[in-house]
Amino acid sequence: MSEAPSGGPQLSAPAELVRRFDPDLFHAALFAPEPARERLMVLAAFDIELSRATAKAGGVAEGPMLAAMRVQFWQDRLEAAANNGPAAAHEVAGPLHSLLTGQLCAAVPIASRLVEARMLELQTPFDDDGFDAWADTRFTSWYRLSLAALGLDDRAGA
């Protein structure tokens, strides 16, 4: 994060998205050491974008199909990163691509599980087993991505 013209820190686009949509997570991520802080912001912005994609499922008959298309956009971005394909010109997809083709290239399968969890959300309502599968996929993936961003090994906790 560089200095803004006003003298305060200028936030990256992913960090600004996290600040706007999840201020608690934003403030928690500020305690992470650099450069892990920005990696966490990119991953959190990715998760927020997935959440926003699935949130658009309600209200119209085409909602689940449109939401699935939006979530598929993110799966396509992960596949591009895994195959060293081109990055999308998007405020979160671009930094995510850079992160997943660089420092966190081993985390692409974990990020794909996060997308998988969001696709499960579109199949609601859940029964107990469905909810358990969703929660395990969703939150285990986020935990493992966070550890990767911090440069920590999660094998001991897996």
Side-chain angles (χ1 to χ4, degrees):
M1 290 181 230
S2 60
E3 291 292 315
S6 64
Q10 181 176 339
L11 299 176
S12 66
E16 179 58 36
L17 188 77
V18 176
R19 186 195 64 74
R20 205 168 61 233
F21 287 97
D22 195 340
D24 292 334
L25 181 58
F26 172 79
H27 288 105
L30 291 178
F31 286 96
E34 281 293 350
R37 181 180 310 144
E38 187 59 24
R39 291 191 299 256
L40 283 169
M41 294 294 185
V42 170
L43 293 172
F46 166 57
D47 188 51
I48 288 168
E49 287 292 325
L50 287 170
S51 178
R52 292 172 66 194
T54 57
K56 297 182 185 285
V60 295
E62 300 85 7
M65 182 179 66
L66 293 173
M69 291 169 57
R70 289 182 177 105
V71 174
Q72 184 61 47
F73 167 84
W74 290 102
Q75 183 60 44
D76 294 345
R77 303 293 53 85
L78 296 178
E79 289 172 13
N83 298 315
N84 289 315
H90 183 277
E91 66 182 1
V92 175
L96 181 67
H97 186 274
S98 295
L99 187 62
L100 294 177
T101 56
Q103 299 146 320
L104 297 184
C105 61
V108 172
I110 302 167
S112 290
R113 297 271 297 153
L114 196 57
V115 172
E116 179 184 324
R118 295 305 188 158
M119 288 299 263
L120 286 172
E121 289 178 22
L122 300 176
Q123 300 169 13
T124 56
F126 293 129
D127 59 12
D128 288 344
D129 291 336
F131 178 81
D132 290 345
W134 167 81
D136 182 52
T137 302
R138 165 85 177 85
F139 295 109
T140 299
S141 299
W142 175 245
Y143 167 76
R144 292 185 67 211
L145 282 172
S146 298
L147 288 178
L150 292 167
L152 301 173
D153 186 350
D154 74 325
R155 285 180 285 181

